[in-house]
Amino acid sequence: MGHEVVEMMMQRKADQAAETTAISAPPFRLQCSPSPSVTRSPLQGLGDTAAPRTPKSPFASRFMTTPLASPMKKAIASMQGYLEEAGHFTKLDPQEAWLPITESRNGNAYYAAFHTLCSGIGVQALLLPLALTTLGWTWGIICLSVAFMWQLYTLWLLIQLHESESRIRYSRYLRLTMAAFGEKLGKVLGLFPIMYLSGGTCVTLIMIGGGTMKIFFQLVCGETCTVKPLTTVEWYLAFTCSAILLAQLPNLNSIAGVSLIGAITAVSYCTLIWVLSITKGRPTGVSYEPQQAKSDVATLFKILNALGIIAFAFRGHNLVLEIQGTMPSSTKRPSRLPMWRGVKFAYVIIALCLFPLAIGGYWAYGNLIPNGGTLTALYKYHGQDTSNLIVGLASMLVVINSLSSFQIYAMPVFDNLEFRYTSSMHKPCPRWLRTGFRLFFGCLAFFIAVALPFLPSLAGLIGGVALPITLAYPSFMWVLIKKPPKYSFVWFINWLLGALGMVLSLLVVTGAIWILITEGIEVHLFKPQ
């Protein structure tokens, strides 16, 4: 009888110990299948055969039920949600955190709009009326509209291709071309036009920005100024020094404010220039008849050169993936959603700038428009009857926009230089070396601007070389990566657009070279004017 009483007391103690263990268990479970370190919850999969565990402290159990533990439980819940999302989409590469494009990933739709506006509107838009002098009213507006819709479609393709199904983010245009076409072919197809477009745009910005600084100084100083004016080379140097100083901002996200200023100034001077051109009246002898060439072949090549000018006005696709790479991404909120929202807003503004500038500039000057574009025409025909304050304001806006655009177009070059260092040394680029890289690029761009001052006359050629990046490659990469059903509508339309883009690029380059040979170009090496 006493033996049975002892057994009953021992059983009751065992039951009480089990209840205490169950109550002291934490009320939350950390589960995140994608992460190998937390593949299973510590409370999952434990049956009757599981090894015994040490009971939790009664103090910890009571503490977790008090109001003091509320912030801790919220933090744990937030961490749980983060771990459930992280890893689904992105395979992290430690090198990404060392490079200026992906060093900071806290971008948003507003930053995307600022960067897209700053890179999408520039001084190249002032050349659009030149294309209409060859194409005429009807075909000029048609070609401008088709080019706008075509490049907006390929822009959407790039935004969708940024995040792959294998959880890899392609935060650089060159990486995407290598993933689509193969490592070797991708480098051959992408490296030269991407770096040529970035570097060539920066060189052009030095020449335009430096030359406009010279005009602004002359307007401010006036005819009675006794200060010795700087030479054109010295103004180029002043602009380059300012651009290099501004380029010390560390990464792409840090220049969002600079891009906002660049976007505001671009919209301002585009609107100011076409409004002034219209309100000031047309000079005598304006004609809208398309310029006739000496032969049918020459007419064809002039048309192709005009298409190259339009293509050059819509450059900027080489920066889309880089801009999207600055955004956070998860399964619930992939980066393509805020990116596309920012791009849609930006391109509404771009359309409201480029179309009035092309149409208004051609209406105001017709075939009399000089090779420098609308701004040069404004100085030439209305410089005397326009207030120096207005002309000076337009010049200052062009300079500020050129400085801002220089930063975003130089960023892929900075990123590529630092990528070479981090790949070989396996460590972040030190601050002094990063400064050295940017100083080196600025000096190189300045040297090319001084040595080859006729580069702005090659707008058609530059547009032809960069055209595959905008109109052809995205369609090909969509077919090769997404693999739509063969002979489907999506498959057919992308192959068609890609092939047309490549053929058009070859024709535009050929037409630009023909124009340079037949009409000639003032080649004055090391003599900027």
Side-chain angles (χ1 to χ4, degrees), residues 98-100 414-422 434 438:
W98 300 340
L99 301 176
F414 299 156
D415 188 85
N416 190 54
L417 291 174
E418 293 191 29
F419 174 77
R420 304 299 175 188
Y421 174 84
T422 55
R434 171 176 282 186
R438 301 182 181 197

Side-chain angles (χ1 to χ4, degrees), residues 143-219:
C143 291
L144 194 62
S145 303
V146 170
F148 181 82
M149 297 303 299
W150 190 351
Q151 58 91 34
L152 190 60
Y153 169 70
T154 54
L155 188 62
W156 180 84
L157 293 180
L158 290 175
I159 293 173
Q160 302 302 312
L161 290 172
H162 175 84
E163 294 159 330
S164 69
E165 296 178 357
S166 58
R167 297 181 297 168
I168 297 176
R169 292 182 67 178
Y170 299 107
S171 300
R172 292 153 187 87
Y173 198 105
L174 183 61
R175 306 282 178 86
L176 184 61
T177 59
M178 293 167 61
F181 301 115
E183 184 174 355
K184 293 183 178 179
L185 183 60
K187 285 183 178 180
V188 171
L189 295 177
L191 184 60
F192 173 73
I194 292 171
M195 292 302 156
Y196 176 76
L197 184 58
S198 295
T201 302
C202 289
V203 171
T204 305
L205 289 171
I206 290 176
M207 289 186 282
I208 294 174
T212 310
M213 288 175 71
K214 181 179 179 181
I215 295 174
F216 179 74
F217 176 80
Q218 293 173 349
L219 291 171

Side-chain angles (χ1 to χ4, degrees), residues 252-263:
L252 189 55
N253 258 340
S254 65
I255 66 170
V258 176
S259 294
L260 173 60
I261 295 173

Side-chain angles (χ1 to χ4, degrees), residues 130-141 143-144 290 302-304 306-307 310:
L130 287 173
L132 270 67
T133 60
T134 300
L135 300 173
W137 279 115
T138 304
W139 283 108
I141 295 176
C143 291
L144 194 62
K302 285 179 70 68
I303 293 174
L304 295 175
L307 295 178
I310 294 176

Side-chain angles (χ1 to χ4, degrees), residues 304-523:
L304 295 175
N305 187 62
L307 295 178
I309 293 174
I310 294 176
F312 184 55
F314 289 118
R315 90 273 187 269
H317 278 45
N318 62 312
L319 298 170
V320 173
L321 297 174
E322 284 80 352
I323 296 171
Q324 192 173 352
T326 64
M327 296 182 174
S329 186
S330 65
T331 50
K332 293 183 179 179
R333 188 174 177 81
S335 63
R336 64 177 179 270
L337 299 180
M339 181 65 188
W340 180 239
R341 188 165 63 250
V343 165
K344 284 191 296 184
F345 172 79
Y347 268 82
V348 170
I349 305 299
I350 290 174
L352 293 176
C353 289
L354 298 191
F355 280 87
L357 192 60
I359 297 172
Y362 184 56
W363 178 88
Y365 306 110
N367 293 337
L368 298 179
I369 190 165
N371 291 330
T374 314
L375 184 60
T376 305
L378 183 65
Y379 291 148
K380 180 177 179 180
Y381 297 111
H382 303 298
Q384 302 298 325
D385 57 350
T386 303
S387 170
N388 286 346
L389 179 63
I390 300 298
V391 179
L393 176 61
S395 302
M396 183 181 66
L397 292 174
V398 170
V399 172
I400 296 174
N401 174 256
S402 299
L403 282 172
S404 303
S405 300
F406 185 95
Q407 309 307 316
I408 191 169
Y409 273 97
M411 196 59 71
V413 181
F414 299 156
D415 188 85
N416 190 54
L417 291 174
E418 293 191 29
F419 174 77
R420 304 299 175 188
Y421 174 84
T422 55
S423 298
S424 59
M425 303 302 293
H426 306 289
K427 63 178 182 179
C429 188
R431 181 63 183 173
W432 65 268
L433 186 57
R434 171 176 282 186
T435 302
F437 281 148
R438 301 182 181 197
L439 180 63
F440 166 75
F441 174 74
C443 293
L444 179 62
F446 167 74
F447 173 79
I448 297 175
V450 174
L452 307 174
F454 54 86
L455 278 182
S457 302
L458 305 179
L461 182 61
I462 296 174
V465 172
L467 194 145
I469 295 177
T470 304
L471 301 182
Y473 291 170
S475 296
F476 288 142
M477 291 188 291
W478 179 270
V479 173
L480 295 174
I481 293 177
K482 294 295 185 179
K483 294 181 172 50
K486 200 171 184 180
Y487 303 118
S488 64
F489 176 77
V490 175
W491 181 91
F492 176 78
I493 196 66
N494 281 290
W495 273 113
L496 177 63
L497 292 178
L500 286 176
M502 293 303 298
V503 171
L504 185 61
S505 175
L506 293 174
L507 293 176
V508 167
V509 171
T510 305
I513 295 175
W514 173 272
I515 294 297
L516 294 177
I517 293 174
T518 55
E519 297 188 0
I521 184 175
E522 295 183 9
V523 179

Side-chain angles (χ1 to χ4, degrees), residues 30 32 73-85:
L30 185 62
C32 182
K73 288 189 289 186
K74 290 181 180 180
I76 293 173
S78 299
M79 180 60 69
Q80 178 181 355
Y82 170 77
L83 291 174
E84 286 176 351
E85 293 182 3

